[in-house]
Amino acid sequence: MNKQIKLQSGTNVSITDDRVRVDLPKAPSSCFWNAVSSATLNGGDRIFPTSGNKSNSDVIHVINYKVPYTYNGYDPTPLKLLSDITAREGISSERTVGLLTAASMKTCVTSSKSIQGVTVEVVVTVGLSNSRMAGAEADFFGLLSDSENYLNKC
């Protein structure tokens, strides 16, 4: 699968079997992109300033990469995996928000809506095989070694 979508804002969405890549249009020179996410790569509240140059170095990317259900999060580490993906895609890892999912990229849908001069655009993948109800206990694996894992000390 190789699908290209251009949203109202000029945002490019590229969907393949193993990833969804969103390329945000360059922000005006006096502006910046702000991303708030739970992403592994550049997650949290991030500001991506523009340099004002005319190259594509100011483009911000979002990648949602499909990992196999058997991916254990250790080999390679999520950051290493996402860094390798950005290198393979030829984009800057410093200007990419990177997520991992086991959801099929075939579920990806987009939508744009403008009301009173404000446009909201959404790019979504859905995975239901490992779904949880809000507030339900979830499975997890420790990100710390057993000696550092504070959950084991309770």
Side-chain angles (χ1 to χ4, degrees):
M1 169 178 52
N2 193 348
K3 186 175 179 181
Q4 305 291 322
I5 300 169
K6 188 161 196 118
L7 302 178
Q8 282 180 326
S9 67
T11 298
N12 291 310
V13 180
S14 170
I15 307 165
T16 66
D17 289 331
D18 62 354
R19 61 109 175 105
V20 172
R21 176 174 153 181
V22 178
D23 298 329
L24 299 171
K26 289 174 58 170
S29 61
S30 61
C31 297
F32 55 87
W33 283 110
N34 188 330
V36 179
S37 77
S38 60
T40 301
L41 178 64
N42 293 322
D45 185 5
R46 302 287 293 209
I47 293 175
F48 295 95
T50 59
S51 65
N53 65 32
K54 296 188 184 215
S55 73
N56 283 333
S57 64
D58 284 343
V59 174
I60 303 301
H61 312 278
V62 179
I63 287 193
N64 192 11
Y65 186 77
K66 182 182 184 334
V67 294
Y69 290 108
T70 57
Y71 175 64
N72 64 12
Y74 295 110
D75 188 26
T77 66
L79 282 176
K80 171 76 170 123
L81 178 59
L82 288 163
S83 292
D84 290 349
I85 292 164
T86 58
R88 189 172 63 229
E89 294 273 331
I91 58 178
S92 166
S93 62
E94 290 83 26
R95 300 188 67 79
T96 301
V97 175
L99 303 112
L100 300 175
T101 184
S104 170
M105 299 299 109
K106 293 176 184 175
T107 67
C108 184
V109 293
T110 63
S111 182
S112 297
K113 184 75 173 182
S114 292
I115 298 175
Q116 298 179 358
V118 176
T119 300
V120 175
E121 296 178 324
V122 179
V123 179
V124 179
T125 58
V126 178
L128 298 176
S129 63
N130 193 26
S131 62
R132 297 287 191 264
M133 226 167 76
E137 288 190 31
D139 299 333
F140 71 94
F141 60 89
L143 295 177
L144 305 173
S145 69
D146 285 341
S147 64
E148 297 173 303
N149 192 339
Y150 71 91
L151 294 175
N152 291 337
K153 296 178 184 177
C154 295

